Amino acid sequence: MNKTRRIVSPLAWVPSLYFAMGLPFVVLNMVSAVMFKDLGIQDAQIAFWTSLIMWPWTIKFLWSPFLELFRTKKFFVVATQLLSGVMFGLGALALHLPSFFAVTIAVFAVVAFSGATHDIAADGVYMSELSTRDQAKYIGWQGAFYNLAKLVATGGLVWFAGWLYERSSAEGVASFDAYVHAWTVVLAILCVLLVVMGLYHVKMLPSGGAAAEKHTLREGLQGLREVIVAFFAKKHIWYYIAFIILYRLGEGFVMKIVPLFLKADTAVGGLGLSNQQIGLYYGTFGAGAFLLGSLLAGYYIAARGLRRTLFTLCCIFNIPFVVYALLAFFQPASMWFVGGGIVLEYFGYGFGFVGLTLFMMQQVAPGKHQMAHYAFASGIMNLSVMLTGAVSGYLSDWLGYRIFFLVVMLATIPAFVMTRLIPFTYPDEKK
């Protein structure tokens, strides 16, 4: 079995692994906002509840040490992919209930826990199976397919939901019922995708190392304490925590608001796009930019080293958010302007995000508790995104889209300062 594991190319499992990682996070964090908007839920409720259910990605470090005790990392990857798939199937059924919003939020909360657990194990496999140099080499593939999941969900599936709605409406189905039907099909597709990928990874995914020998709950709790103490004892850790939070601060504000801004009527400052248009812009114009940015960033970092490229990556990640401020001020009707802006922003997202991912892997995570410490670091990162997302709806309602997106640009400034000052603990390997 070990012999088979060694000859499997990372390209046989890294892309599919991170595509499966991206789907639950993106659907819960972004696509669900469009779905609930279609189903008549208020914006404030959408922003609050779809942010609140993201908590597992923030606190996942609390159970990450236990994953190392009982089974292999591969076991948890496969199990959570299957569980998330089944829960999306239940979510499809929940849309037909009278209290669909509360029930669907509860189902999505289970998906969030499953997805966060999947992330811990998947990152553990990646770091355990690949050398430091190979981590940099394949980080572009990792980022590309994580972002491809974002495009499939926010582009293809949102477009498909709009297409199904239009078809049902043309047949005389009431608007609400047409949306329920459309989103039922979309959640069923997510169910099938994740179950299929879980079955695929039974065969193709390496184990990520054997489980630890100790098996008691007490030892697990002691392990958790050890993980937390060791994390905060790391050199420069407070600098690193501040850097992780600030790097994605601007993105955290815009993540929930952008789809609502694109759908909002032009009379209230939005662009008045349909689901099909949003899906088309993300899925067609954004797809190439996303993948190209992620892949180029991986090879760019591998060639020049993370230390020399980190500030450039931060700039490319954050500056393109100005696109939404320009779209809010000018409200262009041309698909070329809107699509071009989305291309620029998503290229920057794909290119810049891999820098933060690799920084956490190579400067924050290394040590005895590599998998748990990476989960801790990514949890802190998601806390920043979750908290800013939770208040973003109230802030945009108060300020209006134009001023809101200008405030977002101001929120990116600390990231540039911190990136210039950040020290490196471990050698930046480049060959």
Side-chain angles (χ1 to χ4, degrees), residues 259-283:
L260 302 177
F261 162 66
L262 296 177
K263 281 184 68 67
D265 193 86
T266 55
V268 295
L271 296 187
L273 303 184
S274 67
N275 284 1
Q276 286 175 287
Q277 288 175 309
I278 293 172
L280 181 64
Y281 293 151
Y282 281 140

Side-chain angles (χ1 to χ4, degrees), residues 65-73 75-76 209-223:
F66 298 94
L67 302 190
E68 298 179 313
L69 298 181
F70 304 110
R71 302 295 292 266
T72 65
K73 300 175 183 70
F75 170 83
F76 287 105
E213 294 181 0
K214 53 185 181 180
H215 294 282
T216 69
L217 178 61
R218 182 177 180 181
E219 288 171 327
L221 292 173
Q222 290 174 342

Side-chain angles (χ1 to χ4, degrees), residues 162-179 181:
W163 181 82
L164 289 172
Y165 169 78
E166 295 289 344
R167 191 179 72 168
S168 296
S169 296
E171 294 173 355
V173 178
S175 180
F176 179 80
D177 293 335
Y179 275 128
H181 170 72

Side-chain angles (χ1 to χ4, degrees), residues 280-303:
L280 181 64
Y281 293 151
Y282 281 140
T284 301
F285 299 138
F290 238 153
L291 299 177
L292 182 62
S294 298
L295 290 171
L296 288 180
Y299 290 104
Y300 176 64
I301 297 169

Side-chain angles (χ1 to χ4, degrees), residues 22-33 36 46 49-51 53-54 57 88 104-105 107-113 115 187 190 256:
L23 275 179
F25 185 85
V26 172
V27 170
L28 269 55
N29 204 31
M30 299 180 68
V31 176
S32 64
F36 290 131
I46 293 171
W49 286 105
T50 59
S51 295
I53 60 174
M54 305 307 289
W57 276 282
F88 275 124
T104 306
I105 286 292
V107 170
F108 283 178
V110 178
V111 175
F113 179 80
L187 293 182
L190 288 166
K256 297 289 184 184

